[in-house]
Amino acid sequence: MLGFIVNPVSGNGRRLLVWKRLEKELERRRAIFRVKMTTKQGEAKKLAVELLQKEEVSKIIAVGGDGTVNEVISGMKKANIPCIFGHIPAGSGNDFARGHSLPGDPVAALEHILSGMEGKAIDLFRVNGEIAVNAVGAGFDGEVARVTNEAAYKNWLNRWRLGRMSYIISVIRVFLSYRTSRVKLTVDGKETRLEKVWLVAVANIPNYGGGMLICPKAVPDDGMAEVCVVSNVSKWSLIRAFPMIFNGSHVRHPGVRFFRGKQIVIEADRELKVHVDGEVSASTPITVEVEPRSQLICG
């Protein structure tokens, strides 16, 4: 049996329309399924636990964006009952879908899930006890995530399927007042002191913030985290270089450094906002640990 978790409210109701399409397709195929609708942020985690503990589901499918992906997988890990995860993208960023080459069309994504293909195992991150699926960001992008999630224009742009633009607008807003910090980055026990740091991003997939290629070499099943640090760059140099992140060419910029490891500790001379899969949920200092190949997905 299939278990679906759907957020019918976020995205100005677009996810409910997506679900109605999927429901018709499931009924046409005479599939056996259960569906749980969320009513508030954070509820998907609890619903995932309920599906695993009370229903005999073989797969749990999240219909929504990257925040829903995080909540559902967090619930699956909490229940500690083996199950395959599936995703039908219906959010503003959909980085999980991009990072794992999943179909963007909902019905095509459902077909992919129902195809019977064996699941593939991917890495997860543990961040101060929380689960991260895609990425963790400290500093500038943590502040951008906070501003984006609180902005009225996010819902308006989602309505017109321009969710990526909300992130870009927030980047410009935060850029005007943001100040850099000193950071001590420890990767697998090796310390690096960094000055004038804009951001530290720890990624499991290349995609970030609605399609930007923050860590182009990130691989979701290699047991390692890819770390991108942007530092010692003036504001105007940073804004000129910003478009490079959309095709990954920022890797050649002198202000960008990369690290790889299984355990990453980020400490700063002031408290930095930290986002986990796009949701601000922590502040520095943080420890990110890789849990290798710890979740099966429909890949």
Side-chain angles (χ1 to χ4, degrees):
M1 182 167 66
L2 303 173
F4 288 84
I5 296 177
V6 184
N7 183 339
V9 177
S10 54
N12 291 291
R14 185 162 67 89
R15 294 177 195 179
L16 184 57
L17 296 176
V18 168
W19 170 247
K20 290 184 180 299
R21 285 182 63 195
L22 297 171
E23 190 174 36
K24 288 181 181 178
E25 185 66 18
L26 288 163
E27 290 171 351
R28 186 183 71 81
R29 293 169 177 261
R30 298 181 180 177
I32 300 173
F33 64 94
R34 294 285 185 272
V35 59
K36 301 280 188 179
M37 298 281 184
T38 65
T39 59
K40 57 187 177 181
Q41 186 174 343
E43 191 175 17
K45 180 177 179 178
K46 185 183 92 168
L47 295 178
V49 173
E50 288 180 3
L51 280 172
L52 286 169
Q53 292 181 343
K54 299 178 182 180
E55 309 280 357
E56 295 182 1
V57 295
S58 58
K59 295 177 182 178
I60 292 184
I61 298 100
V63 181
D66 294 308
T68 307
V69 169
N70 177 284
E71 288 187 24
V72 172
I73 290 182
S74 293
M76 294 172 73
K77 300 307 291 183
K78 181 179 179 180
N80 197 28
I81 298 172
C83 185
I84 297 176
F85 172 79
H87 177 48
I88 294 175
S92 56
N94 298 325
D95 287 315
F96 182 87
R98 287 189 184 91
H100 295 281
S101 301
L102 302 179
D105 176 76
V107 175
L110 179 63
E111 175 66 33
H112 179 77
I113 291 166
L114 298 177
S115 65
M117 295 173 60
E118 291 187 8
K120 70 175 183 179
I122 65 167
D123 304 333
L124 297 176
F125 295 161
R126 187 74 64 171
V127 188
N128 290 6
E130 295 184 50
I131 289 293
V133 181
N134 295 339
V136 179
F140 181 79
D141 52 343
E143 190 64 23
V144 169
R146 182 191 66 79
V147 170
T148 302
N149 291 338
E150 293 176 358
Y153 52 77
K154 180 181 180 180
N155 287 336
W156 187 84
L157 289 166
N158 282 347
R159 185 183 306 156
W160 296 98
R161 300 189 180 185
L162 295 171
R164 178 194 270 189
M165 286 300 300
S166 62
Y167 187 90
I168 296 173
I169 293 170
S170 297
V171 164
I172 296 169
R173 289 180 61 192
V174 173
F175 165 79
L176 295 174
S177 60
Y178 192 78
R179 59 188 178 89
T180 59
S181 58
R182 295 187 184 93
V183 168
K184 182 174 78 171
L185 179 70
T186 308
V187 180
D188 293 342
K190 183 178 180 180
E191 292 184 8
T192 303
R193 303 275 178 167
L194 301 154
E195 299 289 330
K196 298 181 180 178
V197 174
W198 284 88
L199 67 88
V200 181
V202 185
N204 197 29
I205 57 174
N207 307 83
Y208 194 79
M212 294 184 289
L213 297 175
I214 188 73
C215 290
K217 293 184 179 180
V219 178
D221 60 358
D222 64 352
M224 302 287 280
E226 191 85 4
V227 185
C228 176
V229 178
V230 178
S231 62
N232 286 308
V233 181
S234 70
K235 279 191 173 184
W236 300 113
S237 177
L238 181 66
I239 206 69
R240 287 196 301 270
F242 179 68
M244 300 169 69
I245 203 170
F246 288 96
N247 61 15
S249 59
H250 66 291
V251 300
R252 298 188 295 272
H253 194 281
V256 179
R257 296 178 63 181
F258 290 90
F259 303 81
R260 281 170 55 80
K262 298 177 181 179
Q263 184 189 69
I264 294 89
V265 181
I266 303 170
E267 302 169 272
D269 63 351
R270 64 185 178 89
E271 187 178 272
L272 303 179
K273 294 293 184 184
V274 175
H275 79 79
V276 175
D277 292 337
E279 299 293 334
V280 178
S281 61
S283 300
T284 53
I286 61 166
T287 298
V288 182
E289 296 181 287
V290 180
E291 296 187 349
R293 299 174 65 84
S294 58
Q295 178 61 53
L296 282 175
I297 70 167
C298 298

